């Protein structure tokens, strides 16, 4: 074997090296390109290894081996990544390009077979075996016929493609060598890399011509199909232009004759406009739009916009109203059938129905139902629509950021449509539906406008009688629409928008309410959904209570409904697998089917302890008992607050400490106690964030208890905000807090005197089980909880105990 890289710089020695059986040559792996023998070709090279191989071959005046890659995505190919047959070439010219690439011109010498890849770095060196075409003894008649057939095919290919010069065709016609003809045509026509490689691999000239003939035949068929498609497209375009020209002539002739030239749809629109009972303003506007449509040329985009506008306007229920059911007794029965409790909401709906009976023309009924998730805000609105006999249109506003979602887009915009208000009216098919605006507290604003600002006109009874949507550009009367909105909180609703609505707050359900809701509504619904009958699954009241208290912790009943659905599925499984006829659930059996208890009730300390006070907290899932622990140690007067507290609660603790310092003498404390001791205030369950001022009196009581070493009475919980002068201010969420106290075994609750009126909203069961002590000053709290008399006049009602035997249940939720 002779190494060409060490050859002298002469063509004779080079050719002599090529004639050897096996030669080591610098190699370039080609991607998507094949060079045939006796062809002159230039191409760009970008890989460093390929550039170094070309430079080495040019420096030594040695041939270079060009072989194609099987996969073009491989960056550093190995032997298996290359085809077996390539071409030995002369490097005629190497030109540097801007950047790192080069442009090279090569001339093919002969075919070569890749025997082995001897080197990969810094460039490829391969052991190459030179291949020769099979010699033809003579050109037979069949070979001559094949050559002529290939000539004709290539000529047809050149005509259809239109991309090949006549010089290429002349070079093919001038040769009588079948192998050269096949290589020349394959080099210059478009075909896949695999097909070109199949021609490269064939060493028999006649067989090579046959392969090429089949490829040419397929390519000619594809080109003919492309040519026919292009011709058809051009013909269709010419036909369309011809029709447009003729239609324009017809339109002009019709105008000259005084006839309508807008087409049948113009007449149809006119008939629909005059048949519909439209207001005069609307009719005039639509007739004018039909006249514009009539003057539009055929196929214009403006005509499409006008047609879309007319269709939307004619679909609107102008003057179409549904008849209301204004029977108070029937509405009451319908509401009681669908919902348990919710007395305040039902009372407001019945008031509305009663007023509608006396004053049918009364307008401006806008109600906002505010409450935690799952308490039935959306479902009560649906029941109201059903009870009143109004059509329901539900619009979800959660996540809406574009003002055009409310007012619509100008009809000149591409894809313009009416806003959600008008679209809801259209879908309801009535001009007086009940429109439910869901999640109004989750409306956002960005650079596209503020949807809440657009709702100001919609929800204002003095303005919505002439609401104008940007798409309609006509006044639509929304005063007959009954709006009900829902929200989880009023904190995120803009004040001007909130001022236009009557807020009705829905509080969390009590355990007894959840029991009745589960028995009357949720369980029958789930039994029917799962194909069970009432007698096949028995669930005792105690089991439902255990399910409510041990497996759900929520303000509504959604999780409870999912747990009931789980029991229904397990019942169906037991009946199918084990053939059980009846499945009964008791509190003990729940754990077998549902799993261990998820939520345990708060454990109340039975002994009196120093520095430990039971506070009450409000959460979105109801009330909770909130313990306050205070420890006093010798130190330098630091006050440490722990338990994942918010800024308001920390400030409340500081206010309590300042009050104690100002009352040190009355409480029997040293005047400089705050310099000798460190006070640590801790709220257990540190992973749960806590904030709000309502723990003020609990913190004060716990601090005084720890400083005076006075134990706190058992069974007492308290809630109220404290000031620097010891005043007790009102708080919110009293209903939820008192329910939490009842669940925890508390028998006495200390509340601010200003919250005494809120006791009427508390459930009758809670009021009868708890004693309430309203206070105005912290001194009264200390007297009742610690039996400590600070030797001062008390303005609070220390000895007043409110049992709350009168009043009805309420669903009002007051947040802190």
């Amino acid at each position: 074997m002779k190494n060409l890289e060490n050859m002298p710089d002469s063509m004779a020695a080079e050719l002599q090296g090529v004639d050897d059986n096996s030669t080591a040559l610098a190699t370039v792996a080609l991607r998507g390109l094949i060079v045939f023998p006796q062809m002159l070709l230039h191409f760009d090279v970008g890989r460093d290894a390929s550039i170094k191989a070309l430079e080495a071959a040019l420096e030594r005046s040695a041939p270079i081996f060009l072989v194609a890659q099987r996969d073009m995505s491989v960056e550093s190919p190995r032997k298996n990544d290359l085809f077996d047959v390539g071409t030995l070439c002369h490097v005629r010219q190497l030109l540097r390009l801007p950047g790192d690439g080069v442009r090279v011109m090569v001339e093919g010498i002969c075919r070569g077979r890749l025997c082995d890849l001897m080197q990969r770095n810094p460039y490829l060196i391969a052991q190459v075996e030179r291949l020769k075409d099979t010699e033809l003894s003579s050109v037979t008649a069949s070979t001559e016929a094949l050559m002529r057939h290939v000539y004709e095919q290539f000529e047809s290919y050149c005509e259809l493609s239109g991309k090949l010069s006549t010089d290429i065709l002349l070079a093919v016609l001038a040769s009588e060598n079948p192998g050269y003809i096949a290589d020349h045509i394959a080099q210059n026509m478009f075909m896949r890399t695999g097909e070109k490689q199949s021609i490269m691999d064939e060493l028999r000239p006649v067989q090579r011509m046959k392969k090429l003939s089949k490829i040419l035949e397929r390519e000619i068929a594809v080109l003919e199909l492309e040519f026919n498609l292009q011709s058809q497209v051009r013909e269709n375009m010419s036909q369309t232009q011809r029709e447009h020209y003729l239609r324009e002539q017809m339109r002009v002739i019709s105008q000259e004759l005084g006839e309508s030239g807008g087409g049948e749809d113009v007449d149809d629109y006119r008939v629909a406009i005059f048949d519909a009972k439209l207001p005069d303003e609307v009719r005039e506007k639509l007739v004018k739009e039909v006249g514009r449509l009539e003057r539009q040329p055929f196929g214009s985009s403006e005509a499409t916009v006008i047609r879309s506008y007319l269709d939307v306007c004619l679909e609107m229920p102008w003057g179409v109203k549904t008849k209301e059911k204004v029977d108070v007794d029937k509405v009451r029965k319908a509401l009681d059938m669908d919902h348990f409790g919710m007395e305040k909401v039902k009372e407001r709906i019945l008031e509305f129905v009663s007023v509608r009976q006396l004053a049918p023309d009364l307008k401006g009924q806008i109600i906002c139902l505010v409450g935690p998730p799952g308490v039935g805000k959306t479902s009560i609105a649906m029941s109201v629509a059903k009870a009143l006999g109004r059509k329901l249109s539900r619009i979800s506003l959660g996540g809406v950021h574009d003002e055009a979602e409310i007012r619509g887009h100008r009809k000149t915009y591409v894809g313009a449509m009416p806003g959600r208000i008008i679209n809801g009216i259209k879908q309801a098919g009535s001009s007086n539906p009940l429109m439910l605006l869901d999640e109004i507290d989750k409306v956002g604003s960005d650079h596209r406008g503020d949807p809440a600002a657009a709702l100001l006109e919609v929800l204002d009874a003095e303005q919505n009688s002439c609401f104008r949507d940007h798409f309609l550009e006509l006044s639509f009367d929304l005063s007959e629409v009954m709006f009900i909105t829902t929200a989880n909180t009023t904190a995120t609703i803009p004040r001007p928008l909130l001022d236009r609505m009557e807020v009705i707050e829905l509080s969390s359900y009590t355990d007894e309410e959840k029991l009745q809701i589960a028995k009357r509504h949720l369980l029958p619904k789930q039994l029917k959904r799962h194909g069970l009958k009432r007698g096949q699954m028995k669930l005792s009241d105690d089991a439902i209570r255990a399910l409510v208290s041990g497996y759900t912790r929520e303000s509504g009943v959604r999780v409870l409904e999912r747990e009931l659905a789980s029991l229904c599925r397990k019942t169906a499984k037991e009946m199918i697998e084990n053939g059980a006829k009846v499945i009964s659930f008791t509190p003990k059996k729940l754990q077998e089917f549902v799993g261990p208890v998820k939520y345990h009730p708060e454990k109340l300390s039975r002994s009196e302890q120093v520095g430990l006070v039971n506070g009450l907290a409000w959460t979105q899932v109801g009330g909770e008992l909130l313990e306050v622990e205070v420890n006093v140690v010798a130190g330098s007067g630091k006050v440490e607050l722990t338990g994942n507290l918010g800024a308001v609660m920390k400030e409340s603790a500081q206010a309590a400490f300042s009050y104690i310092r100002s009352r040190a003498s009355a409480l029997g404390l040293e005047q400089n106690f705050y310099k000798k001791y460190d006070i640590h205030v801790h709220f257990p369950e540190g992973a749960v964030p806590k904030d709000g001022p309502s723990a003020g009196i609990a913190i004060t009581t716990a601090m005084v208890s720890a400083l005076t070493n006075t134990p706190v009475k058992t069974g007492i919980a308290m809630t109220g905000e404290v000031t620097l002068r010891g005043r007790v201010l009102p708080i919110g969420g009293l209903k939820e807090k008192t329910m939490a106290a009842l669940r925890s075994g508390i028998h006495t609750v200390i509340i601010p005197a200003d919250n005494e009126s809120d006791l009427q909203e508390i459930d009758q069961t809670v009021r009868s089980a708890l004693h309430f002590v309203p206070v105005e000053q912290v001194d009264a709290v200390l007297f009742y909880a610690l039996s400590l008399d600070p030797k001062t006049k008390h303005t609070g009602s220390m000895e007043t105990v409110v049992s709350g035997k009168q009043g009805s249940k309420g669903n009002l939720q007051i947040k802190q």
Side-chain angles (χ1 to χ4, degrees):
M1 184 182 69
K2 186 178 293 184
N3 192 337
L4 288 180
E5 295 186 0
N6 298 322
M7 291 188 307
D9 189 11
S10 65
M11 183 61 68
E14 176 189 314
L15 293 175
Q16 181 182 0
V18 172
D19 291 336
D20 290 343
N21 186 34
S22 181
T23 310
L25 294 177
T27 302
V28 173
L30 302 176
R31 292 193 282 196
L33 179 66
I34 293 178
V35 180
F36 284 86
Q38 303 180 41
M39 300 295 149
L40 191 66
L41 190 69
H42 62 83
F43 54 92
D44 295 339
V45 179
R47 286 186 284 194
D48 291 338
S50 301
I51 295 173
K52 290 178 181 178
L54 290 167
E55 290 174 347
L58 186 64
E59 181 181 356
R60 296 175 176 83
S61 299
I64 192 166
F65 183 61
L66 304 182
V67 61
Q69 289 184 200
R70 298 179 186 273
D71 186 1
M72 290 190 294
S73 62
V74 177
E75 190 66 27
S76 181
R78 299 178 181 273
K79 182 177 183 300
N80 294 335
D81 298 324
L82 304 175
F83 286 105
D84 295 331
V85 180
T87 306
L88 283 74
C89 299
H90 293 307
V91 180
R92 294 301 184 193
Q93 189 179 30
L94 195 66
L95 179 63
R96 290 283 179 181
L97 297 176
D100 297 330
V102 299
R103 178 166 294 174
V104 62
M105 178 182 289
V106 297
E107 181 180 10
I109 302 173
C110 63
R111 283 173 168 80
R113 186 184 305 280
L114 176 64
C115 299
D116 191 16
L117 200 58
M118 303 170 61
Q119 175 182 307
R120 295 182 62 220
N121 289 314
Y123 56 88
L124 301 179
I125 296 179
Q127 184 179 345
V128 182
E129 177 188 355
R130 183 177 185 275
L131 301 176
K132 295 182 179 180
D133 289 348
T134 305
E135 295 291 336
L136 290 176
S137 57
S138 61
V139 179
T140 62
S142 61
T143 304
E144 182 67 23
L146 178 60
M147 291 171 61
R148 292 182 181 180
H149 181 60
V150 171
Y151 287 154
E152 294 175 357
Q153 286 181 313
F154 188 61
E155 187 174 2
S156 300
Y157 178 86
C158 293
E159 290 178 358
L160 290 171
S161 66
K163 299 177 182 179
L164 299 179
S165 63
T166 56
D167 295 337
I168 297 175
L169 181 60
L170 292 175
V172 172
L173 296 175
S175 176
E176 295 182 358
N177 184 352
Y180 173 81
I181 293 173
D183 289 345
H184 194 82
I185 294 176
Q187 185 72 75
N188 289 282
M189 71 176 290
F190 172 81
M191 65 176 74
R192 298 182 181 90
T193 304
E195 295 173 343
K196 282 193 176 184
Q197 186 63 39
S198 67
I199 295 175
M200 172 68 76
D201 293 341
E202 184 59 62
L203 300 179
R204 296 168 296 177
V206 177
Q207 295 298 324
R208 198 184 303 162
M209 290 279 287
K210 290 181 179 179
K211 284 186 177 181
L212 181 65
S213 178
K214 292 181 179 179
I215 295 172
L216 277 170
E217 183 177 355
R218 192 197 66 203
E219 289 296 322
I220 290 171
V222 173
L223 289 173
E224 287 178 346
L225 182 59
E226 289 181 358
F227 180 81
N228 292 335
L229 289 174
Q230 292 176 359
S231 300
Q232 187 175 359
V233 169
R234 286 194 295 269
E235 183 179 351
N236 291 340
M237 290 181 63
S238 300
Q239 181 68 20
T240 302
Q241 292 173 350
R242 179 173 175 272
E243 290 178 358
H244 175 72
Y245 178 73
L246 292 175
R247 288 184 183 277
E248 284 295 307
Q249 285 186 327
M250 291 175 60
R251 187 178 67 84
V252 173
I253 293 172
S254 299
Q255 288 180 350
E256 291 294 329
L257 295 175
E259 299 175 354
S260 175
E264 296 181 358
D265 58 344
V266 173
D267 296 332
D268 294 339
Y269 280 126
R270 282 200 172 96
V271 172
I273 290 170
F274 286 103
D275 287 347
K277 297 178 180 180
L278 303 176
D280 294 339
E281 177 191 1
V282 178
R283 184 181 296 106
E284 292 176 4
K285 172 73 173 177
L286 297 187
V287 169
K288 187 181 295 184
E289 291 295 326
V290 171
R292 289 184 59 219
L293 175 63
E294 191 175 14
R295 294 189 297 271
Q296 296 300 317
F298 177 78
S300 69
S301 59
E302 182 67 19
T304 305
V305 171
I306 296 174
R307 286 186 176 89
S308 176
Y309 175 76
L310 291 172
D311 291 338
V312 172
C313 290
L314 291 173
E315 289 174 2
M316 292 296 297
W318 303 98
V320 178
K321 298 180 182 179
T322 53
K323 188 176 180 181
E324 274 188 333
K325 302 175 183 177
V326 288
D327 191 331
V328 176
D329 292 333
K330 289 184 179 179
V331 173
R332 185 193 302 274
K333 290 179 181 178
L335 292 176
D336 290 338
M337 185 180 298
D338 293 339
H339 294 83
F340 177 80
M342 296 187 177
E343 300 300 333
K344 206 170 187 63
V345 181
K346 293 178 181 178
E347 190 68 23
R348 179 64 186 85
I349 300 300
L350 294 176
E351 290 174 2
F352 167 75
V353 176
S354 302
V355 172
R356 291 290 293 180
Q357 278 186 310
L358 299 177
D361 297 332
L362 181 66
K363 300 176 182 179
Q365 305 298 320
I366 300 169
I367 299 173
C368 180
L369 304 178
V370 179
V375 296
K377 300 185 295 297
T378 303
S379 61
I380 193 72
M382 294 179 177
S383 297
V384 169
K386 179 181 176 182
L388 295 178
R390 291 195 180 210
K391 298 290 184 67
L392 176 67
S393 176
R394 179 179 177 272
I395 299 174
S396 178
L397 298 178
V400 174
H401 288 77
D402 191 355
E403 181 187 357
E405 292 283 340
I406 306 300
R407 287 188 174 276
H409 302 79
R410 299 288 182 188
K411 66 175 183 290
T412 54
Y413 294 160
V414 177
M417 61 182 69
R420 295 197 180 195
I421 301 298
I422 294 299
N423 198 45
I425 298 287
K426 185 181 69 172
Q427 291 178 354
S430 170
S431 61
N432 65 335
L434 188 149
M435 185 164 288
L436 173 61
L437 303 180
D438 222 352
E439 309 292 349
I440 197 171
D441 58 324
K442 296 176 179 60
V443 173
S445 62
D446 57 12
H447 64 280
R448 292 168 293 184
D450 188 359
L455 286 172
L456 292 176
E457 181 184 1
V458 175
L459 300 181
D460 192 339
E462 301 299 328
Q463 301 180 37
N464 60 11
S465 59
C466 54
F467 174 73
R468 297 182 72 89
D469 186 89
H470 287 163
F471 183 87
L472 289 185
E473 296 178 345
L474 292 167
S475 297
F476 194 90
D477 187 3
L478 299 179
S479 61
E480 298 289 337
V481 179
M482 180 179 179
F483 290 98
I484 294 182
T485 65
T486 68
N488 295 130
T489 177
T490 58
T492 56
I493 302 177
R495 295 297 102 184
L497 185 60
L498 187 63
D499 184 59
R500 284 162 167 77
M501 302 181 290
E502 179 182 350
V503 177
I504 301 178
E505 296 198 10
L506 283 72
S507 61
S508 306
Y509 291 123
T510 64
D511 290 352
E512 285 301 315
E513 286 175 334
K514 290 182 180 180
L515 170 65
Q516 297 300 327
I517 292 171
K519 289 173 60 177
R520 300 184 186 186
H521 302 284
L522 303 183
L523 188 57
K525 175 183 175 182
Q526 293 301 324
L527 289 174
K528 182 178 179 181
R529 179 176 293 179
H530 291 84
L532 298 174
K533 297 180 180 178
R534 283 185 174 269
Q536 292 177 327
M537 188 180 104
K538 295 183 178 180
L539 196 63
S540 64
D541 289 357
D542 291 338
I544 297 178
R545 288 191 179 95
L547 200 64
V548 169
S549 61
Y551 295 90
T552 66
R553 181 170 288 182
E554 56 174 344
S555 54
V557 290
R558 283 179 181 156
V559 178
L560 177 60
E561 185 174 10
R562 285 197 290 269
E563 295 294 341
L564 292 174
S566 176
L567 290 179
C568 291
R569 291 193 299 270
K570 296 182 186 302
T571 300
K573 181 173 176 291
E574 286 291 321
M575 294 177 62
I576 297 300
E577 290 186 349
N578 302 326
K581 299 297 183 182
V582 179
I583 304 294
S584 299
F585 290 98
T586 60
K588 293 182 179 179
K589 200 172 182 181
L590 281 179
Q591 297 191 21
E592 178 183 345
F593 286 86
V594 188
V597 176
K598 298 178 182 178
Y599 307 105
H600 297 276
E602 295 88 347
K603 294 181 180 179
L604 188 64
S605 176
R606 296 186 178 183
S607 61
E608 295 183 353
Q609 297 190 33
V610 175
L612 180 61
V613 176
N614 297 314
L616 295 173
W618 179 93
T619 67
Q620 286 190 344
V621 296
E624 287 187 0
L625 196 69
L626 182 66
E627 290 184 343
V628 183
E629 293 181 347
V630 176
N631 201 12
V632 177
V633 295
S636 58
K638 296 179 181 178
V639 178
E640 190 75 21
L641 304 173
T642 57
N644 200 353
L645 308 182
V648 177
M649 187 168 281
K650 289 180 180 179
E651 292 173 357
S652 184
Q654 294 292 342
F657 184 63
S658 296
Y659 167 75
I660 294 172
R661 286 182 58 186
S662 68
R663 305 284 291 164
S665 299
L667 295 171
L669 300 175
E670 301 178 35
Q671 289 294 335
N672 60 346
F673 76 94
Y674 57 89
K675 296 181 180 180
K676 295 182 179 181
Y677 303 102
D678 288 346
I679 300 177
H680 188 164
V681 182
H682 178 67
F683 290 79
E685 298 185 17
V688 180
K690 309 170 188 71
D691 202 4
S694 63
I697 62 172
I699 297 173
T700 307
T701 305
M703 284 184 177
V704 173
S705 172
L707 289 168
T708 60
N709 199 27
T710 306
V712 182
K713 295 180 182 179
T714 60
I716 293 180
M718 58 188 70
T719 178
E721 182 180 354
V722 67
T723 68
L724 291 176
R725 295 200 169 32
R727 291 183 297 131
V728 180
L729 301 184
I731 46 84
L734 186 62
K735 179 180 179 182
E736 287 77 10
K737 293 177 180 179
T738 54
M739 284 191 290
L742 180 63
R743 284 197 305 265
S744 304
I746 299 293
H747 57 74
T748 301
V749 180
I750 300 175
I751 63 173
D754 291 341
N755 285 113
E756 191 172 355
S757 59
D758 296 333
L759 295 177
Q760 299 299 324
E761 305 294 333
I762 296 176
D763 185 79
Q764 178 67 33
T765 305
V766 180
R767 291 207 308 271
S768 61
L770 294 177
H771 294 287
F772 296 93
V773 180
V775 296
E776 295 181 1
Q777 288 286 336
V778 174
D779 294 347
V781 179
L782 300 178
F783 179 83
Y784 198 89
L786 304 177
S787 298
L788 187 65
D789 187 1
K791 297 182 178 59
T792 186
K793 294 181 180 180
H794 307 300
T795 57
S797 306
M798 294 185 297
E799 300 177 358
T800 304
V801 178
V802 181
S803 59
K805 295 182 180 180
Q806 297 180 355
S808 59
K809 298 181 186 177
N811 288 279
L812 180 63
Q813 177 183 6
I814 305 175
K815 299 182 180 180
Q816 64 184 25

